[in-house]
């Protein structure tokens, strides 16, 4: 292992990457190239960029779902090889199990690692209350709206107890109002549980609004074109989006992305 | 007729509701057909030797169920066969389907044989099996197993193979073992499809039993129909057929009920029932 | 396009050979094991004949004696004619039901009764009615192939696509035009699914009626060989039923592909989009 590259990860980075790359089809498709970054504990990182720029690929690499083809990647200073319990992932679709009630869906991660206790059940119920579903503990997925299903998926993600949360366009399929409300809640919740969060979105304003750092990515080949720091404190009010500083950041990101956005 | 009568009145409260009116139309069509049949027969337009009168079918019902009471034994024999064959075929079909579904190599090499098997009328193997296993219950059950194993097999296979990619990814991200993925994802996910296969299988089992009995001509409702038709006792043959209609209807309803119980998340009542059960199991979840 | 000429491109003869070869090898090995098992007496050969015996029987049936062809033709005709009648009645009734609500309401109970009754049970009665010849086989084939076709066609026709219907109305289409240009094409995939099931069922009807009472047809041949304990010939006959089944199924599949072409189109389109994407990302490299 490259000693110099892994050095910073030992100190203050939760997720660290050095020259990370992923190709598909024996090198025919470069999904991600030469990504290097260090993510501080408890920080919120947004990944923004056009379709095909490797956002999902980066997340799936960190989750240990796919193997990298070059470079290094550590979570909590340990090389990523397999899916692990300190990293949790949430997808664009809720991917709930139809035959389980909301609580049982939230309990799935616990069930997979050990026997479920009364405490776990209470914790799951508490998480569902936290995402605003206290009256739907025993509802089945088909009885919930899209937004509610996504909240259950969020509760399930939190139930994993992971302190690195990966969210791949989690609210992308929802309407504008629901999405905005869920974004505000998400910001509050991840602050509360002190998780390090990577959040994928197509929306520049959303990316900036939520994050401490924005990874601006460009396609063909997929790479991180720039890491933009967002200087506001979290959580923030929605009204910050109309401030001039905010709009300068939006313009900056849009500039990097070029005519695609 | 007054003008008012011509105006449709769907919200009519008094008098006959729409439902009652329809029921009456249904009944009159049915009774009309029966009467027409009876009259045609009595006028000599339909040969009662081949096309028995409704009244004589009714009489035959009374004969075979009560006076001679011979149908019970045959009905019982057939039902036992059907159940035995259905259970055997289901176990074989679901088991093989799961095995093949989980193993891509077996699946690949089995595919041509499945295509061939699908195109063959499986009931056609009946004489072969009877010749090989001899007359009696064992060859009949073998025939039923063979005709009814295919639907559960194919459905289990496709249910297991067509697992949602995203859910699989979720299980992988949770670090679930192969066994956990199987028990908590793949099998429950396949249940509705498997149940659909089971419905087809039970119907096929009944047909298989009948064919086996036609060939063996010893006992069972199939042999009874055959004997009655041979003797041109068509009224009794029809009474047996309508018995099978009732049986078929009960089977249909029974499987529907079972389906609703097992694939409970596909219907409102089932979800309510299980939700209440879970709530009771977990008790107080307040911290 | 450089990748088209590459030797691994799908669809070329090399590729096909490469795919089929393992299957052939496995098949040959299985036959060999089977043959050995019978020859060494591990399997008693009365019940399960050796493959060589079966091949011999096929040779005799199809080449030296040629007995099979007449029976093959008879059963094939029974199944196809029965299917045509069953399908004709089923589609007509389904269309009437779809067009005219009262018809559907007052006819469907009888269709349901017919569905829950195992059609096979009618075999002896139909033979009494239509005699020992081909008529009874055709009738049984028609009766039992009726329901799957009827129910599929009706389901296809009564499913309503409100958005598209509104679009048709907005451009001033009449009810008849909506039926012809929207509802019928939308029902076709299900209709064909029903027809495919119906064909298989018709063949079963023909064969079962032959078992019960007949002088000609592969069903007769099959039971005759079986009860003579001539298992090799019996299996060879069974194989001819498979052939009939395959011919019927694939001719319907062919029609399906031709007539319901948009399904294949969309599959093709998805594939071509995926290809285009891969191509683009390679170009950008
Ligand atoms: N399993 C795979 N096999 C082959 N190519 C893949 C695979 N997964 C992703 N790719 C390719 O890698 C590139 C990056 O894909 P990725 O899914 O990471 O993009 P994305 O930024 O998440 O896009 P989107 O915003 O559309 O979700 C794309 O060109 C894609 O076609
Ligand atoms: Mg993506």
């Amino acid at each position: 292992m490259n000693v110099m590259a892994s050095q910073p990860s030992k100190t203050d980075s939760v997720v660290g990457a050095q020259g990370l790359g992923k190709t598909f089809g024996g090198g025919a498709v470069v999904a991600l190239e030469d990504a290097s970054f260090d993510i501080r504990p408890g920080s919120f990182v947004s990944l923004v960029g056009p379709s095909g720029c490797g956002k999902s690929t980066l997340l799936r690499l960190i989750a240990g779902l796919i193997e990298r083809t070059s470079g290094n990647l550590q979570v909590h200073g340990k090389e990523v090889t397999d899916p692990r319990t300190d990293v949790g992932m949430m997808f664009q679709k809720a991917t709930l199990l139809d035959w389980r009630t909301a609580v049982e869906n939230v309990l799935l991660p616990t069930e997979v690692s050990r026997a479920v206790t009364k405490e776990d059940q209470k914790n799951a119920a508490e998480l569902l209350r936290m995402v605003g579903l206290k009256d739907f503990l025993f509802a089945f997925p088909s009885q919930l709206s899209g937004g509610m299903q996504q909240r259950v998926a969020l509760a399930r993600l939190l139930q994993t107890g992971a302190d690195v949360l990966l969210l791949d366009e989690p609210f992308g399929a929802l309407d504008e109002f629901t999405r905005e409300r869920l974004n505000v809640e998400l910001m509050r919740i991840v602050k509360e549980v002190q998780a390090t969060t990577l959040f994928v979105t197509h929306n520049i304003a959303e990316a900036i609004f939520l994050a401490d750092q924005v990874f601006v990515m460009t396609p063909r080949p997929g790479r991180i074109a720039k890491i933009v720091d967002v200087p506001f404190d979290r959580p923030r009010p929605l009204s910050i989006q109309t401030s001039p500083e905010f709009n300068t950041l939006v313009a900056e990101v849009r500039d990097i992305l070029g005519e695609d956005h | 007729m007054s003008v008012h009568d011509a105006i449709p009145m769907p919200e009519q409260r008094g008098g006959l509701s729409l439902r009652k009116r329809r029921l009456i139309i249904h009944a009159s069509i049915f009774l009309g057909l029966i009467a027409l049949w009876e009259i045609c027969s009595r006028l000599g337009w339909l040969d009662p030797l081949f096309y028995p009168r409704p009244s004589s079918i009714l009489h035959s019902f009374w004969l075979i169920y009560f006076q001679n009471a011979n149908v019970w034994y045959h009905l019982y024999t057939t039902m036992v066969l059907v159940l035995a064959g259905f259970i055997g075929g289901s176990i074989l079909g679901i088991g093989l389907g799961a095995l093949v579904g989980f193993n891509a190599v077996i699946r690949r090499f089995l595919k041509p044989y499945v295509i061939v098997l699908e195109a063959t009328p499986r009931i056609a193997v009946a004489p072969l099996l009877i010749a090989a296993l001899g007359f009696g219950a064992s060859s009949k059950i073998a025939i039923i197993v063979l005709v009814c194993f295919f639907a559960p097999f194919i459905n289990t296979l496709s249910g297991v193979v067509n697992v949602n990619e995203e859910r699989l990814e979720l299980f992988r991200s949770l670090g679930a073992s192969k066994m956990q993925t199987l028990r908590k994802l793949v099998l429950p996910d396949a249940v509705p499809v498997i149940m659909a296969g089971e419905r087809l299988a039970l119907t096929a089992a009944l047909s298989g039993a009948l064919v086996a009995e036609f060939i063996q001509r010893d006992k069972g409702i199939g042999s009874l129909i055959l004997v009655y038709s041979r003797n041109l006792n068509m009224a009794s043959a029809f009474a047996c057929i309508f018995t099978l209609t009732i049986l078929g209807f009960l089977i249909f309803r029974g499987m529907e009920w079972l389906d609703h119980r097992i694939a409970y998340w596909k219907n409102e009542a089932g979800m309510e029932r299980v939700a209440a059960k879970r709530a009771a199991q977990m008790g107080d979840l307040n911290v | 396009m450089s990748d088209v000429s590459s030797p691994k491109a799908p669809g070329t003869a090399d590729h096909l050979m490469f795919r089929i070869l393992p299957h052939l090898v496995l098949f040959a090995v299985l036959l060999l094991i089977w043959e050995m098992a019978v020859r060494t007496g591990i399997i008693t050969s009365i019940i399960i004949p050796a493959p060589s015996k079966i091949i011999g029987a096929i040779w005799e049936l199809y080449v030296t004696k040629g007995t099979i062809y007449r029976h093959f033709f008879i059963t094939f005709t029974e199944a196809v004619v029965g299917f045509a009648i069953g399908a004709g009645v089923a589609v007509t009734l389904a269309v009437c039901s779809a067009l005219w609500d009262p018809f559907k309401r007052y006819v469907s109970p009888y269709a349901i009764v017919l569905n829950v009754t195992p059609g096979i049970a009618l075999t002896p009665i139909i033979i009494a009615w239509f005699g020992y010849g081909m008529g009874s086989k055709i009738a049984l084939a028609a009766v039992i192939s009726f329901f799957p076709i009827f129910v599929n066609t009706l389901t296809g026709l009564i499913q309503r696509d409100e958005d598209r219907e509104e679009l048709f109305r907005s451009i001033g289409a009449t009810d008849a035009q909506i039926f012809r240009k929207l509802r019928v094409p939308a029902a076709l995939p299900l209709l064909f699914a029903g027809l495919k099931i119906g064909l298989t069922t018709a063949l079963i009807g023909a064969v079962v009626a032959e078992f019960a009472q007949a002088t000609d047809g592969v069903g007769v041949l099959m039971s005759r060989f079986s009860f003579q304990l001539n298992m090799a010939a019996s299996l060879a006959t069974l194989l001819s039923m498979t052939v009939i089944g395959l011919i019927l199924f694939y001719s319907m599949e062919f029609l399906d592909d031709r007539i319901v072409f948009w399904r294949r189109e969309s599959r093709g389109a998805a594939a071509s989009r995926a290809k285009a994407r891969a191509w683009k990302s390679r170009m950008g490299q």
Side-chain angles (χ1 to χ4, degrees):
Chain A
M1 203 194 291
N2 189 331
V3 180
M4 254 180 32
S6 60
Q7 224 169 15
S9 65
K10 292 270 157 53
T11 53
D12 66 339
S13 108
V14 178
V15 184
Q18 304 82 34
L20 182 64
K22 172 72 188 173
T23 60
F24 286 105
V29 180
V30 182
L32 186 70
E33 196 176 72
D34 196 24
S36 302
F37 53 81
D38 283 300
I39 299 176
R40 289 186 302 275
S43 67
F44 197 116
V45 173
S46 285
L47 279 64
V48 69
S51 192
C53 66
K55 305 182 294 288
S56 299
T57 303
L58 178 54
L59 249 56
R60 295 173 71 215
L61 280 168
I62 299 172
L65 290 170
I66 50 177
E67 268 179 66
R68 59 181 184 271
T69 42
S70 57
N72 290 310
L73 173 67
Q74 313 85 31
V75 173
H76 291 307
K78 267 177 38 204
E79 288 292 319
V80 175
T81 47
D82 283 312
R84 37 199 277 185
T85 50
D86 52 358
V87 180
M89 184 149 179
M90 177 171 167
F91 306 87
Q92 179 166 10
K93 290 203 191 124
T95 53
L96 301 178
L97 306 182
D98 300 333
W99 50 90
R100 284 168 172 251
T101 58
V103 184
E104 291 172 290
N105 265 296
V106 175
L107 281 168
L108 180 70
T110 314
E111 254 176 66
V112 164
S113 51
R114 59 187 163 79
V116 173
T117 64
K118 187 79 205 168
E119 280 317 300
D120 295 324
Q121 291 177 349
K122 284 189 172 163
N123 188 48
E126 183 50 36
L127 286 172
L128 280 171
R129 268 180 220 116
M130 190 151 121
V131 296
L133 288 177
K134 72 172 169 21
D135 295 329
F136 296 91
L137 297 186
F138 295 100
F140 283 87
S142 63
Q143 298 170 317
L144 300 172
S145 72
M148 289 156 102
Q149 291 184 16
Q150 218 53 34
R151 287 161 194 254
V152 177
L154 181 58
R156 180 179 64 195
L157 173 66
L158 298 172
Q159 174 78 10
T160 58
D163 59 1
V164 177
L165 307 182
L166 310 172
L167 298 99
D168 195 348
E169 298 184 53
F171 311 131
L174 304 178
D175 64 273
E176 192 71 35
F177 296 106
T178 317
R179 195 165 74 216
E180 207 158 68
R181 213 172 53 236
L182 286 178
N183 279 341
V184 173
E185 278 177 44
L186 177 70
M187 201 156 47
R188 173 179 62 78
I189 289 167
V190 294
K191 188 88 189 174
E192 200 174 314
V193 301
Q194 297 179 338
T196 309
T197 312
L198 280 89
F199 181 93
V200 169
T201 174
H202 277 121
N203 186 320
I204 298 175
E206 187 179 83
I208 297 170
F209 173 68
L210 288 170
D212 300 315
Q213 279 188 318
V214 179
F215 288 10
V216 186
M217 299 179 68
T218 50
R220 282 173 250 121
R223 51 164 94 227
I224 301 175
K226 182 147 196 238
I227 298 179
V228 176
D229 285 304
V230 183
F232 315 115
D233 280 339
R234 282 190 305 128
R236 323 164 168 148
L238 277 167
S239 59
I240 203 164
Q241 301 194 35
T242 50
S243 74
E245 296 96 321
F246 190 90
N247 284 308
T248 318
L249 282 173
V250 172
E252 185 187 341
V253 172
R254 186 159 284 146
D255 243 19
I256 303 166
L257 289 173
E259 75 276 22
D260 273 349
H261 258 71
Chain B
M1 199 188 281
S2 72
V3 183
H4 291 284
D5 287 349
I7 299 168
M9 292 193 291
E11 289 294 310
Q12 197 176 19
R13 288 286 146 93
L16 287 178
S17 67
L18 187 65
R19 224 176 125 206
K20 271 192 191 136
R21 215 164 41 220
R22 280 186 183 159
L23 215 67
I24 289 173
I25 298 178
H26 270 300
S28 24
I29 290 177
F30 181 68
L31 292 177
L33 284 174
I34 300 272
L36 191 73
W37 185 354
E38 184 83 29
I39 290 166
C40 284
S41 183
R42 290 196 187 261
L43 289 178
W45 296 344
L46 274 175
D47 186 353
L49 192 60
F50 287 100
Y51 309 100
R53 293 171 187 164
S55 55
S56 34
I57 295 177
L58 223 60
H59 179 66
S60 293
F61 257 110
W62 193 74
L63 279 181
I64 63 173
Y65 275 91
F66 302 108
Q67 191 166 327
N68 302 338
N70 58 335
V71 81
W72 299 109
Y73 167 70
H74 296 285
L75 205 53
Y76 170 77
T77 316
T78 305
M79 286 309 293
V80 170
L81 283 181
V82 166
L83 273 183
F86 169 70
I87 292 170
S90 298
I91 292 173
L92 192 69
I94 295 174
L96 270 181
L99 188 76
V100 174
F102 291 132
N103 194 319
V105 178
I106 298 184
R107 195 158 66 235
R108 181 161 161 241
F109 281 101
L110 213 66
K111 199 173 166 199
Y113 302 93
V114 171
I115 292 174
V116 166
L117 203 64
E118 195 166 20
T120 314
R122 285 168 297 282
I123 198 85
V125 191
L128 239 169
L129 284 177
I130 292 171
L133 301 174
F135 278 73
S138 57
S139 61
K140 284 181 183 167
I141 291 176
I143 291 167
I144 300 170
V145 166
L146 197 74
V147 294
C148 73
F149 107 97
F150 203 72
F153 169 74
I154 287 290
N155 282 27
T156 307
L157 177 58
S158 73
V160 166
V161 172
N162 295 329
V163 184
N164 181 311
E165 274 305 320
E166 284 148 352
R167 285 180 178 166
L168 270 183
E169 184 125 285
L170 166 75
F171 270 72
R172 283 216 299 132
S173 79
L174 292 176
S177 68
K178 240 185 145 138
M179 203 57 207
Q180 283 174 325
T181 311
L182 173 68
R183 276 203 7 247
K184 292 180 196 290
L185 174 62
V186 179
L187 284 184
D189 198 34
V191 159
V193 192
I194 295 176
M195 281 311 293
E198 289 291 80
R199 279 192 194 203
L200 293 175
L202 193 49
T203 318
L206 187 54
S207 296
L210 292 173
V211 172
E213 289 165 359
F214 288 157
I215 299 177
Q216 298 205 6
R217 292 168 201 180
D218 52 351
K219 55 189 174 179
I221 197 91
S223 327
L224 205 58
I225 296 174
L226 193 78
V227 170
Y228 282 140
S229 312
R230 287 268 165 92
N231 300 337
L232 283 182
N233 182 354
M234 296 304 252
S236 298
F238 266 99
C240 292
I241 300 274
F242 289 132
T243 299
L244 287 175
T245 303
I246 296 164
L247 191 64
F249 186 73
L250 291 179
I251 286 178
F252 182 81
R253 272 297 147 91
M255 288 308 276
E256 199 172 61
W257 180 82
L258 208 64
D259 191 8
H260 277 205
R261 297 286 301 186
I262 296 181
Y264 56 84
W265 61 96
K266 296 275 174 189
N267 63 90
E268 281 300 323
M271 287 193 284
E272 244 166 63
R273 180 171 52 79
V274 174
K277 208 166 106 191
R278 294 284 182 275
Q281 277 168 359
M282 291 196 192
D284 181 24
L285 291 181
N286 286 315
V287 234
Chain C
M1 292 281 240
S2 62
D3 62 335
V4 173
S5 58
S6 83
K8 269 192 191 164
T12 61
D14 275 359
H15 188 81
L16 199 69
M17 202 52 223
F18 203 72
R19 259 187 3 200
I20 289 181
L21 199 65
H23 289 287
L24 291 179
V25 170
L26 179 76
F27 187 62
V29 168
L30 284 179
L31 284 189
L32 207 68
I33 293 174
W34 183 358
E35 182 79 33
M36 298 303 274
V38 174
R39 296 228 168 155
T40 53
I42 298 173
I43 302 175
T44 43
S45 59
I46 302 170
I47 293 176
I48 300 172
S52 56
K53 286 259 175 60
I54 299 175
I55 292 167
I58 291 175
W59 184 255
E60 199 172 282
L61 273 175
Y62 282 84
V63 184
T64 50
K65 286 194 185 151
T67 15
I68 193 84
Y69 295 108
R70 197 170 62 85
H71 299 281
F72 186 100
F73 180 73
I74 286 172
T75 304
F76 189 83
T77 310
E78 288 163 355
V80 170
V81 175
F83 165 76
I85 295 170
V89 177
V91 172
T92 311
L93 286 184
V95 170
C96 290
S97 304
L99 285 178
W100 196 36
D101 252 13
F103 189 86
K104 184 175 93 204
R105 187 169 314 122
Y106 298 114
V107 167
S108 56
Y110 301 95
I112 289 169
V113 166
L114 195 67
N115 181 37
V116 296
T117 313
I120 293 281
L122 293 170
T123 315
I125 289 173
I126 284 180
I127 287 174
W129 282 353
F130 293 89
Y132 293 169
M134 282 171 80
S136 54
K137 284 74 196 178
I138 291 172
L140 189 65
V143 166
I144 69 172
S145 63
F146 165 82
F147 194 78
I149 304 173
F150 173 76
V151 82
N152 275 285
T153 313
L154 188 58
T155 314
L157 284 173
I158 60 180
Q159 64 187 357
R160 301 302 274 266
D161 181 343
E162 301 289 346
D163 291 346
R164 291 225 169 94
E165 233 167 84
E166 215 143 83
L167 169 76
F168 268 72
R169 270 185 228 296
S170 75
I171 55 174
T174 63
D175 277 355
Q177 283 173 323
I178 291 179
F179 188 78
R180 271 210 343 266
K181 301 197 179 202
L182 176 63
R183 288 174 66 189
V184 169
L188 280 181
L190 263 175
L191 167 69
F192 271 99
L195 289 179
K196 276 182 216 166
I197 302 169
L199 257 184
T200 321
T201 324
L203 179 58
I204 290 174
V207 171
V208 168
E210 286 172 358
F211 284 161
Q213 193 82 61
T215 48
D216 306 285
V218 280
V220 176
L221 221 53
M222 177 92 200
S223 44
R224 191 185 302 152
F225 286 137
S226 294
F227 293 116
Q228 290 166 353
L229 287 183
N230 186 352
M231 295 305 190
S234 182
L235 280 170
T237 312
L238 184 66
L239 211 63
S240 69
M241 290 191 204
T242 308
V243 172
I244 297 180
L246 285 172
I247 292 175
L248 292 178
F249 186 82
Y250 279 104
S251 39
M252 195 47 78
E253 185 99 330
F254 176 78
L255 280 182
D256 190 3
D257 248 27
R258 275 295 147 98
I259 297 175
V260 194
F261 59 85
W262 58 87
R263 256 192 343 208
R264 196 190 36 184
E265 276 282 279
S266 70
R267 244 181 279 145
S272 81
R273 264 201 306 280
K275 275 220 181 90
R277 210 172 29 199
W279 182 248
K280 261 197 242 153
S281 53
R282 210 173 315 166
M283 295 296 284
Q285 205 180 339

